[in-house]
Amino acid sequence: MTPNNLALVLAIIAASIEYGIGFTSCPRSVPPSSTLFAATKDTSKEDVLKEGRLVEFSSGTGANKQISLGAIIGKEGKKNLKILTSSGRTSSVPLRSVKHMVPNGRAMSTETQIEQHENAAATALESDVAANGQSVAEVWEMLLEDCNDDESCQVGVDLITLSELILGDSTSTSCYATRAMLTEGVESYCFKEIGGNKFDDSGGPMYEPRQMEVVENLRSIAKVEAQEAAKWDELKQRMYDASNNKSFVVEDETEEIQTALKALQQLGCLANLSPDEIKREEKAALGNKNDAEVMAIAKLFLQNIDRRATPEVARQLLVSLGVWTKHSNLDLVRLKVRTTFDQYFEDAAVDIASNPPLDLDEGSRLDLTHLPAFAIDEASTKEIDDALSVEILKADGPIHSRQRLWIHIADPTRYIELGSPLGQEARRRATSIYLPTETIPMFPMSLAAGPLSLRPGEVSCALSIGIMLDEAGGIDEDTPPVITPSYVKTTRLTYDQVDLLLDPFAMVNNESSDNNSGSSEENTIEDMETTVEILRQLQYASEQRLGWRVEGGSLESISPYELPDMTVKARPSPDGIDGWQVDIYASEQMAANRIVTELMLAANEAVALYGDTHGVPMPFRSQGMDELSDEEIEMTPEGPCRSWLAILSTSRSQISSKPLPHAGLGLDMYVQVTSPVRRYADLALHFQIKSHLRGDALPFPGNNDGEGNGGGTGIGETMVGIAQNAGTLSRQLERPANDYWLKEFLRRRGTQLTQVLVLSTDRWKDNVYKLLLLELGAICTYSSTKPLATGETLDMQCMHLSELV
């Protein structure tokens, strides 16, 4: 402190002592409320808060609570004051919300006067920062020294006196500026507000200098808090830079920040849910200690960077930082889906390929490599799990009695042992998941597309099902199906190739005409004439089977037309909008699709018959159908509308241990066994069948959920239980992902028109219809402002349709 300031201070202290104002010094044993601070009660608040007084008042609640400065310009009602702020806004303020009256602040009535006080406080705080709080600290040290010789000394100083000491005068602007320095300045922890009448114009509130050790402790805390604040400020700057196309490298951040960003994903993944769904998810998270902790970390992180702690804010932040893209699949995160395999499983897959386990069926495998076997699938398919052959048994007689149809199914159980780590991981995943952006396989792809698949040109292990048809197209009762482990050698064909080969007017060569169908070596047809002949035999058999199912009352008995499948593909592309290319098209069911569909159904029926005949527990699938009147069918236009009517007549499929009719397929009994590389329920059925063929104990002996000793992957686990639980995750992911990209595809097309067909009306709601987007194969619900007719076609804007998805 300078000599001049010291002289001023001493003079003020002397005057204060002489006239008994400003400072008070008393023994600690004297109760403050009875002497020094007797005026702290607010009984006179209403009397002193008159028009023209300058006051601080609070408004808002919680995180939105704030303190403002204003001038009283009148009363509003019996208990409220009308207060003007520097912005010109007036507020009706209850007396209880007035927190402080500025000493010497009288006759204040204009925005300019109020603003002068706010500016004085802002200027004082800037100067305080520049001087590192020196003025406040010097006064604090002086007051502490005054008590050094008397340990029982307690000093209280009013605001007017402190304003004189710190800023040199006690005008209302100086008093307000001094208060700002004492409460918000660099050395704000030097003084503690202890009493005095906040509404007493003669002195204002009282302040007590804190003890040295207390201040040092508070300074240390403040230093830590400042460092913490600086850390978050620096992070906010890096995040701001990232939003302006500068890179944000997560790996360069501290472990704390990386953990917070991971936690943020668990909050952000809820952004595509409804408000009620978000509440349910957050409530469920509270019931799990780990999830609750993750949510708390995420919300605290957002608060630390001054963001609202909501799922959408979290999602937007992760996108801006490059952790997610705009089109990241939030459901994958929310459902905690493993999109890759741990290195342990990848290594186990490599080990199995190089050192396969003992083949338990080696002695009974039937060598069928002499039969041409055609694996027909999409060009992009990597998991090849079925192939078809025709075996000619004799030269004479009707064709159905001369040939055996072979359906070869990949045999993963040759390599995957029940209960092994890879088997358990497949059980946990339940199915391969097919999304527009990626495929998430049930097994590591090195296995799924390797030894487990029926690889073209190689001898592969299979489970082969040989069937003979009767004259009507049903499975011949006099010649039971043959089910056997086997060796096969396949040729890869795409659906498009097969359709071309079966088209009598098409010109084809012996290689694939599809650039995406794989390597030419895989798709080379060695004997074109034989290949075409076998494909025609398979086509004839599929037509027989379809006719037999129609006679059994299948969906096709109502309408032979098959609704198109919607194929959705989305991939990153530098030329695409938002960096993504989206393609959607309707896939019509042609001859090749019908061949595969009918013969896979025949194989599944044959296995069901085997299980029923031999008493092997299996998950039989059934479905009911409501009977439709001839009039109802005839009133519905043929084609897509009538096919949709047939679908609406079916009930939800059921799974049970008893073989029951599957009306939709027109089959007396039915199981699923043809996709063991993609569906764990099919794989489990392979274990079951092959154990029975060998005469071994069944791994799943129970007939109902909870029966049996569950020699499989879980105690009490049954075939029915496995099948009932399978597919849940894929249903939660595949349909929403397709809908998301369909919506995006339509949105991008904007006002472009596309043709839609009215499939049906809603039975319960007026002017609500199902629409088929003919070009895309998509079906959506539409509420019309006018009646529409079933079978009517409309041209609609894609943007409008995007809102219906």
Side-chain angles (χ1 to χ4, degrees):
M1 184 177 291
T2 64
N4 290 337
N5 285 343
L6 179 59
L8 174 63
V9 168
L10 293 175
I12 292 173
I13 292 173
S16 299
I17 293 173
E18 181 177 355
Y19 297 106
I21 62 171
F23 290 92
T24 57
S25 180
C26 66
R28 293 182 186 274
S29 59
V30 178
S33 59
S34 63
T35 55
L36 298 177
F37 313 121
T40 59
K41 296 181 180 180
D42 290 339
T43 54
S44 60
K45 178 189 285 191
E46 188 172 359
D47 296 331
V48 298
L49 293 179
K50 302 296 185 181
E51 188 172 334
R53 292 294 189 178
L54 197 62
V55 296
E56 282 185 329
F57 64 95
S58 65
S59 60
T61 59
N64 297 320
K65 186 175 183 179
Q66 61 180 10
I67 300 295
S68 304
L69 181 68
I72 300 173
I73 57 174
K75 287 190 175 183
E76 193 161 283
K78 293 183 178 181
K79 296 185 178 181
N80 284 16
L81 299 174
K82 191 174 183 181
I83 298 179
L84 173 72
T85 64
S86 61
S87 65
R89 180 181 177 182
T90 59
S91 301
S92 178
V93 180
L95 279 174
R96 65 178 179 273
S97 295
V98 178
K99 303 302 179 183
H100 169 67
M101 184 177 75
V102 179
N104 299 329
R106 304 180 186 86
M108 301 291 172
S109 60
T110 67
E111 296 98 314
T112 301
Q113 290 173 309
I114 302 167
E115 187 176 10
Q116 286 175 349
H117 286 75
E118 291 174 337
N119 290 341
T123 301
L125 286 173
E126 290 176 3
S127 301
D128 187 57
V129 170
N132 199 28
Q134 182 179 356
S135 298
V136 174
E138 287 179 347
V139 172
W140 167 70
E141 290 172 358
M142 177 198 70
L143 294 176
L144 277 186
E145 290 173 2
D146 188 49
C147 284
N148 278 347
D149 297 331
D150 184 358
E151 293 184 0
S152 64
C153 175
Q154 181 178 354
V155 177
V157 190
D158 61 38
L159 180 59
I160 288 179
T161 303
L162 284 173
S163 179
E164 291 278 2
L165 291 172
I166 295 172
L167 294 181
D169 66 69
S170 57
T171 61
S172 60
T173 53
S174 292
C175 285
Y176 187 65
T178 299
R179 177 174 168 80
M181 296 170 68
L182 294 175
T183 56
E184 303 174 48
V186 176
E187 295 284 6
S188 59
Y189 28 77
C190 286
F191 287 91
K192 176 183 178 182
E193 187 172 331
I194 58 171
N197 196 333
K198 300 178 183 179
F199 305 99
D200 178 6
D201 199 34
S202 64
M206 302 292 292
Y207 292 87
E208 176 187 74
R210 288 189 171 100
Q211 295 300 310
M212 179 70 73
E213 60 272 17
V214 175
V215 171
E216 289 299 329
N217 183 47
L218 292 175
R219 281 173 175 167
S220 298
I221 294 173
K223 183 178 180 181
V224 172
E225 291 176 346
Q227 291 172 343
E228 185 74 5
K231 177 187 73 175
W232 290 109
D233 287 341
E234 291 169 2
L235 176 63
K236 285 187 281 186
Q237 183 61 49
R238 292 196 298 277
M239 290 180 169
Y240 174 79
D241 292 341
S243 66
N244 288 282
N245 299 320
K246 291 186 179 180
S247 62
F248 182 89
V249 183
V250 175
E251 292 75 14
D252 290 346
E253 297 296 326
T254 63
E255 183 178 350
E256 178 190 8
I257 301 302
Q258 292 187 43
T259 299
L261 290 174
K262 287 181 181 178
L264 207 61
Q265 295 183 49
Q266 295 305 314
L267 177 62
C269 69
L270 306 180
N272 63 338
L273 303 180
S274 68
D276 288 342
E277 289 172 328
I278 290 174
K279 288 180 181 178
R280 283 197 297 270
E281 289 287 335
E282 291 189 332
K283 185 177 180 180
L286 293 176
N288 181 289
K289 182 178 179 181
N290 290 335
D291 289 345
E293 183 178 341
V294 167
M295 281 293 185
I297 291 172
K299 292 185 175 183
L300 179 60
F301 176 81
L302 289 174
Q303 291 170 6
N304 284 334
I305 59 172
D306 303 325
R307 306 284 182 99
R308 293 177 61 211
T310 67
E312 179 57 23
V313 170
R315 186 196 69 82
Q316 291 177 4
L317 178 60
L318 290 166
V319 171
S320 70
L321 297 179
V323 177
W324 285 350
T325 70
K326 178 181 177 181
H327 301 296
S328 289
N329 190 321
L330 304 187
D331 292 331
L332 287 177
V333 182
R334 178 172 58 86
L335 297 172
K336 300 178 182 177
V337 177
R338 298 182 187 177
T339 57
T340 60
F341 286 87
D342 293 342
Q343 191 59 46
Y344 171 80
F345 294 117
E346 295 286 1
D347 292 342
V350 172
D351 184 59
I352 286 177
S354 57
N355 300 292
L358 178 69
D359 183 4
L360 299 179
D361 304 295
E362 184 175 8
S364 61
R365 283 195 187 276
L366 184 63
D367 189 347
L368 297 177
T369 56
H370 62 286
L371 297 177
F374 299 105
I376 306 170
D377 216 320
E378 294 288 354
S380 59
T381 300
K382 297 179 180 179
E383 304 155 292
I384 306 171
D385 52 12
D386 58 71
L388 304 171
S389 295
V390 176
E391 181 184 14
I392 303 300
L393 301 177
K394 58 183 181 179
D396 300 324
I399 187 170
H400 68 271
S401 67
R402 291 188 284 114
Q403 67 181 24
R404 175 178 280 124
L405 304 171
W406 283 102
I407 300 94
H408 311 293
I409 311 301
D411 186 11
T413 62
R414 158 68 184 90
Y415 298 93
I416 305 298
E417 297 176 301
L418 187 64
S420 66
L422 276 170
Q424 291 177 341
E425 178 65 8
R427 173 71 182 94
R428 193 193 65 76
R429 291 178 177 244
T431 63
S432 292
I433 298 171
Y434 298 92
L435 303 176
T437 53
E438 62 185 313
T439 295
I440 304 172
M442 188 172 75
F443 288 107
M445 194 53 74
S446 61
L447 269 182
L452 304 191
S453 282
L454 303 179
R455 289 180 288 186
E458 297 183 16
V459 175
S460 302
C461 292
L463 181 67
S464 294
I465 303 161
I467 61 175
M468 296 189 69
L469 303 181
D470 59 25
E471 188 173 2
I475 295 176
D476 190 350
E477 295 181 0
D478 297 328
T479 311
V482 177
I483 301 177
T484 179
S486 64
Y487 296 110
V488 297
K489 188 175 182 180
T490 68
T491 298
R492 176 80 182 274
L493 294 176
T494 68
Y495 289 121
D496 289 341
Q497 277 183 292
V498 173
D499 288 330
L500 284 172
L501 290 169
L502 292 174
D503 185 347
F505 303 104
M507 298 293 293
V508 295
N509 55 35
N510 68 335
E511 292 187 4
S512 168
S513 60
D514 188 340
N515 293 332
N516 297 319
S517 61
S519 68
S520 60
E521 182 179 349
E522 287 183 357
N523 294 81
T524 297
I525 302 171
E526 295 181 358
D527 187 335
M528 180 69 71
E529 184 177 348
T530 300
T531 298
V532 173
E533 181 182 358
I534 293 172
L535 290 177
R536 292 201 183 283
Q537 292 167 344
L538 292 170
Q539 182 181 26
Y540 177 75
S542 70
E543 292 169 351
Q544 273 192 300
R545 285 290 301 172
L546 176 59
W548 183 80
R549 291 195 305 105
V550 167
E551 288 298 317
S554 69
L555 290 174
E556 292 86 355
S557 68
I558 299 173
S559 173
Y561 176 84
E562 290 189 52
L563 289 170
D565 290 329
M566 179 178 70
T567 300
V568 185
K569 298 293 182 184
R571 58 184 176 82
S573 170
D575 300 325
I577 298 173
D578 298 326
W580 283 83
Q581 177 69 36
V582 187
D583 298 300
I584 301 180
Y585 55 89
S587 302
E588 298 287 345
Q589 302 297 306
M590 306 297 286
N593 300 90
R594 286 193 290 271
I595 288 172
V596 174
T597 297
E598 291 300 333
L599 293 183
M600 292 306 121
L601 290 176
N604 288 326
E605 183 190 8
V607 172
L609 289 169
Y610 179 88
D612 184 42
T613 300
H614 296 280
V616 180
M618 291 185 180
F620 294 97
R621 296 172 184 265
S622 61
Q623 185 182 54
M625 282 180 65
D626 296 332
E627 186 175 351
L628 297 172
S629 67
D630 292 341
E631 181 183 7
E632 192 173 2
I633 294 173
E634 290 172 3
M635 288 179 60
T636 304
E638 294 184 354
C641 298
R642 193 171 291 183
S643 296
W644 184 250
L645 174 68
I647 291 172
L648 292 179
S649 73
T650 62
S651 60
R652 184 176 180 180
S653 62
Q654 303 293 323
I655 301 173
S656 71
S657 60
K658 297 179 180 180
L660 298 171
H662 195 295
L665 297 176
L667 301 175
D668 290 334
M669 61 186 70
Y670 174 69
V671 297
Q672 286 184 343
V673 74
T674 54
S675 296
V677 182
R678 314 180 195 192
R679 294 193 298 246
Y680 186 81
D682 292 31
L683 179 68
L685 187 49
H686 275 234
F687 280 118
Q688 188 87 327
I689 294 167
K690 290 179 66 180
S691 293
H692 186 267
L693 290 173
R694 289 194 300 266
D696 294 342
L698 297 180
F700 308 101
N703 281 323
N704 296 299
D705 226 359
E707 291 184 9
N709 61 17
T713 57
I715 296 176
E717 198 168 33
T718 66
M719 293 301 308
V720 171
I722 291 172
Q724 287 176 336
N725 294 326
T728 301
L729 186 60
S730 61
R731 287 192 295 271
Q732 288 178 293
L733 290 168
E734 292 175 353
R735 175 65 182 272
N738 283 333
D739 286 349
Y740 174 88
W741 286 107
L742 172 61
K743 188 180 188 74
E744 177 68 14
F745 181 84
L746 293 169
R747 185 189 64 79
R748 292 181 179 191
R749 285 193 167 187
T751 58
Q752 183 177 334
L753 297 177
T754 190
Q755 194 172 62
V756 302
L757 173 70
V758 180
L759 286 176
S760 69
T761 61
D762 192 288
R763 295 179 181 179
W764 314 111
K765 298 178 182 178
D766 293 337
N767 294 335
V768 176
Y769 305 90
K770 285 292 183 182
L771 303 181
L772 171 65
L773 282 61
L774 295 171
E775 179 189 356
L776 307 178
I779 296 175
C780 62
T781 302
Y782 174 58
S783 296
S784 177
T785 55
K786 62 179 182 178
L788 300 175
T790 299
E792 182 180 353
T793 57
L794 308 167
D795 288 328
M796 297 183 66
Q797 287 188 358
C798 290
M799 180 62 76
H800 185 194
L801 288 169
S802 73
E803 298 170 359
L804 308 180
V805 178

